[in-house]
């Protein structure tokens, strides 16, 4: 989608505040019918993944996890398995420079390490279903809130059906490939969806917890605390930020006490400094293999600040619709993080249908869609 022109800029903001309108739109289906359709979509999504694993299991397990488009040094399931192996033998998983993921993932997969691979496959299928369900809940909550707002007289609103949003996510080839490759980025995505949903529902404490977990897993979701704070309505934004900061510090301090400084060096410092220049779908690796070492520190600061600098301006511009600001920041993260993968783009594409009513404000939709698919 391209950015709206200056002529339509104010109209876009007005549409966000009123929930978007259109002259022709069918009324929303009954809640019971929509729930049945959502359950059907989730079931078919599970069945699709199971069929692929049964029919092409060797290809999936041997080929997909090694693809740099799907797995990165900070999301690779092979590296997680190596960390589990070291941990099982009472060796710090952060010694040796192989494992760069959160200890929370070690705890989550500790029991699965001794079980057949089918159990870990089932966990990833369940995570996809959970994220799709969260997206459907977000779409439903957005429609419910928009219905309470005043629109343009004589026009009816677009109805963003939750089952359609869930289907567009579950059957996205990028999502399917990421799940089958068992990239651990899906756990960060689940936390991001939880943060946006709880924030939209006004459950600030749960939103802060999910944002802190997502930040602990992947650093860049720290940007989401800006729109999450705006969802507090009459509550103190400063208190929300303080809770988030305290929780993130507690997590890192706890794991530094358990694993030593090697934990922080192998996770946060590794991501910020872009220590592994393995090729991926991002820009960092290609740029940093070209520059001289004496300029490396300067450009690391520039690149990382470029990604983080969007948080406050975007949240302020769309302060009346913080959910939309959060979705934009998810898209910015997918493009500007140091170790991106197709799964990051897939989450952004899964969130966009929630605001399908804004499609009419874009220009050159066909060209933009083709460029996005080609990229």
């Amino acid at each position: 989608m391209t950015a709206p022109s200056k002529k339509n800029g104010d109209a876009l903001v007005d549409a966000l505040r009123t929930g978007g309108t259109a002259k022709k739109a069918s009324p929303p289906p009954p809640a019971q019918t929509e729930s049945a359709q959502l359950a059907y979509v989730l079931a078919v999504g599970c069945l699709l993944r199971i069929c692929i694993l049964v029919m092409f299991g060797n290809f999936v397990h041997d080929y997909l996890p090694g693809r740099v488009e799907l797995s990165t040094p900070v999301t690779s399931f092979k590296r997680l398995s190596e960390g589990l192996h070291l941990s099982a033998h009472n060796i710090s998983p952060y010694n040796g420079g192989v494992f760069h993921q959160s200890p929370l993932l070690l705890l989550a997969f500790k029991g699965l390490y001794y079980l057949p691979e089918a159990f870990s496959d089932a966990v990833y299928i369940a995570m996809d279903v959970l994220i799709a369900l969260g997206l459907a809940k977000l779409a439903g909550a957005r429609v419910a809130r928009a219905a309470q707002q005043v629109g343009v007289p004589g026009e009816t609103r677009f109805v963003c059906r939750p089952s359609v949003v869930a289907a567009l996510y579950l059957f996205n080839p990028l999502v399917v490939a990421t799940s089958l490759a068992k990239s651990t980025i899906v756990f960060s995505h689940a936390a991001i969806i939880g943060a946006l949903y709880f924030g939209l529902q006004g459950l600030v404490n749960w939103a802060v917890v999910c944002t802190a977990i997502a930040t602990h897993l992947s650093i860049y979701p720290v940007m989401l605390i800006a729109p999450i704070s705006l969802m507090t309505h009459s509550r103190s934004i400063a208190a929300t930020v303080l809770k988030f900061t305290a929780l993130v510090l507690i997590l890192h301090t706890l794991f530094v006490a358990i694993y030593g400084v090697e934990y922080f060096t192998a996770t946060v410092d590794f991501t910020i400094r872009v220590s592994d220049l393995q090729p991926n779908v991002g820009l960092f690796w290609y740029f940093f293999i070209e520059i001289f070492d004496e300029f490396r520190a300067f450009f690391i600061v520039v690149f990382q600040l470029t990604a983080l600098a969007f948080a406050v301006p975007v949240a302020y511009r769309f302060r009346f619709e913080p959910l939309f600001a959060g979705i934009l920041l998810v898209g910015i993260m997918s493009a500007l993080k140091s170790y991106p993968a197709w799964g990051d783009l897939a989450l952004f594409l899964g969130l966009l249908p929630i605001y399908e009513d804004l499609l009419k404000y874009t220009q050159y939709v066909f060209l933009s869609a083709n460029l996005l698919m080609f990229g």
Side-chain angles (χ1 to χ4, degrees):
M1 296 174 62
T2 59
S5 63
K6 294 181 180 179
K7 180 179 179 181
N8 293 333
D10 294 334
L12 173 59
V13 175
D14 292 339
L16 288 170
R17 298 182 66 177
T18 59
T21 57
K23 291 184 178 180
K24 294 181 179 180
S26 58
Q32 186 175 4
T33 302
E34 179 59 31
S35 298
Q37 292 176 347
L38 178 59
Y40 177 77
V41 167
L42 298 179
V44 174
C46 289
L47 184 61
L48 172 64
R49 286 157 173 77
I50 293 173
C51 290
I52 294 175
L53 287 170
V54 171
M55 299 175 62
F56 309 102
N58 292 333
F59 171 80
V60 168
H61 293 141
D62 296 338
Y63 180 74
L64 289 184
R67 297 299 304 177
V68 297
E69 301 91 343
L70 300 173
S71 296
T72 68
V74 295
T75 62
S76 171
F77 186 77
K78 288 184 177 180
R79 297 196 181 217
L80 175 59
S81 300
E82 181 66 22
L84 290 169
H85 178 76
L86 293 174
S87 181
H89 290 80
N90 296 321
I91 302 174
S92 174
Y94 299 103
N95 289 336
V98 175
F99 182 65
H100 305 288
Q101 302 176 46
S102 168
L104 293 177
L105 296 176
L106 291 176
L107 294 175
F109 282 88
K110 185 176 182 180
L112 296 174
Y113 176 72
Y114 302 98
L115 298 176
E117 196 168 20
F119 286 88
S120 60
D121 292 332
V123 169
Y124 277 88
I125 293 175
M127 291 304 300
D128 271 359
V129 171
L130 180 63
I131 295 173
L133 183 61
L135 289 170
K137 294 290 186 181
L138 272 176
R142 199 249 166 173
V143 170
R145 291 189 62 185
Q148 300 174 358
Q149 298 173 342
V150 179
V152 178
E155 295 183 339
T156 55
R157 290 180 172 85
F158 272 102
V159 175
C160 184
R161 295 172 55 187
S163 59
V164 175
V165 175
L168 290 174
Y169 177 81
L170 276 180
F171 301 112
N172 185 335
L174 301 181
V175 175
V176 176
T178 299
S179 175
L180 295 178
K182 293 195 284 193
S183 171
T184 56
I185 194 64
V186 299
F187 297 97
S188 178
H189 290 172
I192 289 173
I193 296 300
L196 294 176
Y197 175 73
F198 288 128
L200 196 64
Q201 295 297 319
L203 304 174
V204 181
N205 291 334
W206 282 107
V208 169
V209 169
C210 289
T211 309
I213 292 175
T215 301
H216 176 74
L217 294 174
S218 187
I219 296 181
Y220 294 93
V222 66
M223 294 191 289
L224 293 178
I225 193 58
I228 293 297
S229 298
L230 293 176
M231 295 178 185
T232 58
H233 304 298
S234 61
R235 302 180 181 88
S236 173
I237 293 179
T240 302
V241 175
L242 184 61
K243 291 178 184 178
F244 166 78
T245 305
L247 189 53
V248 172
L249 289 177
I250 289 172
L251 285 172
H252 285 305
T253 303
L254 175 63
F255 291 128
V256 166
I258 296 174
Y259 295 101
V261 182
E262 292 82 6
Y263 152 74
F264 192 83
T265 304
T267 54
V268 178
D269 185 73
F270 178 86
T271 302
I272 293 176
R273 290 180 178 271
V274 200
S275 302
D276 192 330
L277 296 180
Q278 172 183 309
N280 54 59
V281 298
L283 301 174
F284 279 68
W285 73 272
Y286 184 78
F287 184 84
F288 284 107
I289 63 174
E290 300 288 344
I291 66 172
F292 295 106
D293 289 340
E294 53 263 32
F295 302 112
R296 180 180 175 86
F298 170 77
F299 282 104
I300 283 177
V301 173
V302 171
F303 272 56
Q304 298 293 5
L305 288 181
T306 299
L308 299 176
F310 284 92
V312 174
V314 170
Y316 179 78
R317 181 67 178 93
F318 299 103
R319 58 192 179 278
F320 299 109
E321 190 67 28
L323 175 60
F324 185 72
I327 293 175
L328 285 182
L329 291 176
V330 169
I332 292 171
M333 280 188 281
S334 69
L336 298 180
K337 65 191 301 186
S338 54
Y339 294 105
W342 281 351
D344 297 293
L345 175 61
L347 178 65
F348 178 56
L349 295 178
L351 286 164
L352 284 181
I354 296 176
Y355 283 91
E356 64 171 350
D357 48 292
L358 301 182
L359 186 64
K360 61 180 177 291
Y361 293 101
T362 62
Q363 295 178 332
Y364 315 113
V365 177
F366 179 77
L367 177 61
S368 301
N370 278 275
L371 287 174
L372 182 61
M373 293 177 62
F374 179 79

